[in-house]
């Protein structure tokens, strides 16, 4: 279906190549957040890093939303706050997890959110998990077991918190789908960013923060994470994801850990043992196989529908 301008004129949807390019670019920026966060939290405590990142993102998003602020109402604030709480826990666990493990491992582990979603739906709403997801969960469990026995520390604290982060990513995605209806996505995101900044501020005030200095390097990482993976990726995702199915989007987003693996190898000099590579590979397959099967089913259904629609 074509998009429509505010004056009622129709706008043709972008080409498939353009959609894929910008969604892949989004995964590139998201993958870069692992590298820049890892570098940033070497100087800045994780809660303060989140505070600065989302405070800057809130200011930028607020400026972009200036023409819309008059439409900000109690319902949008309430629903944005609910989703923002989930986003805040996600980002706080993300920075602590990245601080405690390699970005190579964190990137792969974070992708487990794809498997946590059906598990949470099963527990909360008695939804059927299905054989495809069960296979993925089994492969992921084996992959984590291999990670637990690989490397110098095995499955360390950072890996555990990264797994917890994947769980909260799933919670955030489910919350968005269950809570948000027809709200202005720009205003909701503005509220979300403000809520995350407020959560980080409270933690910073409550938990003792060790002395630190904000140098040019850490400042650059905060600016990158606030602008590109947060504001820009939000814009690209909401602009282009509607032109692909959720399964297609999921397949594209599996590129996230690929970029984090490459960044860890090329920039930070991270090296994985064969056992760790095997564990990461199994986790990657655990996510990719269910998505690939769903994509094949979608294509078959679309092909059958189009075939039936052709004149005999």
């Amino acid at each position: 279906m074509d998009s429509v301008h505010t004056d009622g004129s129709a706008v043709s949807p972008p080409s498939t190549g353009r959609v894929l390019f910008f969604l892949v670019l989004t995964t590139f920026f998201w993958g870069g957040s692992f590298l820049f966060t890892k570098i940033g939290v070497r100087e800045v405590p994780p809660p303060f890093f989140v505070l600065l990142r989302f405070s800057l993102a809130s200011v930028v998003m607020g400026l972009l939303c200036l023409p819309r602020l008059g439409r900000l109402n109690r319902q949008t604030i309430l629903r944005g706050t609910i989703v923002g709480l989930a986003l805040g826990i996600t980002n706080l666990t993300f920075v602590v997890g990245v601080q405690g493990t390699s970005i190579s491992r964190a990137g792969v582990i974070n992708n487990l959110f794809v498997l946590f979603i059906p598990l949470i739906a099963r527990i909360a709403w008695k939804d059927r998990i299905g054989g495809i997801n069960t296979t993925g969960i089994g492969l992921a469990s084996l992959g984590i077991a291999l990670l637990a026995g690989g490397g110098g520390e095995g499955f360390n604290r950072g890996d555990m918190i990264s797994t917890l982060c994947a769980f909260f990513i799933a919670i955030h995605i489910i919350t968005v789908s269950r809570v948000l209806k027809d709200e202005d996505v720009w205003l909701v995101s503005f509220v979300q960013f403000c809520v995350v900044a407020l959560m980080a501020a409270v933690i910073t005030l409550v938990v003792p923060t060790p002395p630190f200095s904000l140098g040019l390097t850490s400042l650059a990482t905060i600016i990158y994470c606030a602008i590109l993976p947060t504001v820009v990726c939000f814009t690209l995702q909401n602009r282009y994801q509607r032109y692909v199915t959720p399964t297609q989007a999921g397949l594209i987003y599996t590129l996230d850990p690929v970029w984090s693996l490459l960044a860890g190898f090329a920039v930070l000099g991270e090296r994985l043992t064969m056992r760790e590579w095997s564990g990461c590979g199994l986790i990657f397959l655990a996510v990719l196989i269910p998505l690939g099967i769903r994509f094949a089913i979608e294509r078959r259904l679309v092909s059958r529908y189009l075939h039936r629609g052709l004149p005999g």
Side-chain angles (χ1 to χ4, degrees):
M1 182 177 179
D2 290 350
S3 301
V4 178
H5 273 316
T6 54
D7 62 2
S9 59
V11 180
S12 299
S15 66
T16 301
R18 183 180 178 86
V19 171
L20 292 177
F21 171 79
F22 281 110
L23 289 181
V24 170
L25 184 64
T26 298
T27 70
F28 180 77
F29 290 147
W30 278 336
S33 69
F34 286 86
L35 171 64
F36 282 87
T37 298
K38 183 74 172 182
I39 296 172
V41 295
R42 288 174 176 174
E43 297 181 1
V44 182
F48 204 85
F49 185 91
V50 175
L51 170 60
L52 294 176
R53 170 183 176 177
F54 279 89
S55 294
L56 178 56
S58 298
V59 170
V60 174
M61 186 60 76
L63 292 174
L64 293 174
C65 288
L66 278 177
R68 305 165 182 261
L69 289 179
R71 301 199 296 268
L72 186 63
N73 55 40
R74 183 179 299 178
Q75 176 177 283
T76 301
I77 293 173
L78 175 61
R79 292 181 173 177
T81 299
I82 294 171
V83 178
L85 290 171
L87 182 64
I89 299 173
T90 297
N91 278 276
L92 288 165
T93 52
F94 170 75
V95 293
V96 176
V98 168
Q99 184 188 45
T101 189
S102 68
I103 64 172
S104 305
R105 293 164 67 113
V108 173
I109 293 171
N110 277 180
N111 238 29
L112 287 172
F113 77 86
V114 174
L115 301 178
F116 277 128
I117 290 175
L119 279 175
I120 295 169
R122 170 64 180 173
I123 295 170
W125 299 285
K126 309 300 181 185
D127 290 356
R128 183 173 175 270
I129 294 179
I132 296 173
N133 290 320
T134 301
T135 301
I137 292 168
L139 285 172
S141 300
L142 182 57
I144 289 176
L146 287 173
L147 281 181
E153 302 177 31
F155 198 76
N156 60 30
R157 176 175 172 270
D159 296 327
M160 182 63 68
I161 295 176
S162 292
T163 305
L164 189 62
C165 176
F167 175 79
F168 285 117
I169 293 172
I171 291 287
H172 179 251
I173 291 171
I174 292 172
T175 304
V176 168
S177 65
R178 294 275 176 172
V179 173
L180 300 185
K181 303 299 180 185
D182 56 355
E183 283 79 18
D184 185 313
V185 291
W186 291 85
L187 290 175
V188 167
S189 292
F190 172 60
V191 174
Q192 284 187 80
F193 295 166
C194 291
V195 169
V196 177
L198 182 60
M199 290 174 66
V202 171
I203 293 176
T204 303
L205 291 173
V206 172
V207 179
T209 302
F212 70 94
S213 59
L214 189 62
L216 288 177
T217 299
S218 53
L219 183 60
T221 64
I222 290 166
I223 293 173
Y224 173 92
C225 290
I227 304 300
L228 293 175
T230 309
V231 176
V232 171
C233 283
F234 155 78
T235 305
L236 292 177
Q237 184 182 20
N238 282 279
R239 171 71 177 87
Y240 292 103
Q241 186 176 312
R242 54 185 158 167
Y243 298 109
V244 297
T245 67
T247 302
Q248 289 172 321
L251 286 169
I252 294 169
Y253 295 155
T254 57
L255 285 171
D256 267 12
V258 174
W259 301 126
S260 64
L261 280 166
L262 290 174
F265 183 87
V267 180
L268 300 180
E270 293 180 354
R271 299 293 183 269
L272 301 180
T273 66
M274 185 58 65
R275 191 182 184 96
E276 288 176 299
W277 274 116
S278 300
C280 288
L282 281 175
I283 293 173
F284 190 70
L285 287 175
V287 173
L288 196 59
I289 289 175
L291 286 173
I293 293 174
R294 291 191 200 105
F295 180 64
I297 293 172
E298 283 180 5
R299 286 182 63 88
R300 187 184 307 166
L301 291 174
V302 170
S303 177
R304 187 179 302 170
Y305 174 78
L306 293 175
H307 179 72
R308 288 178 178 176
L310 292 174

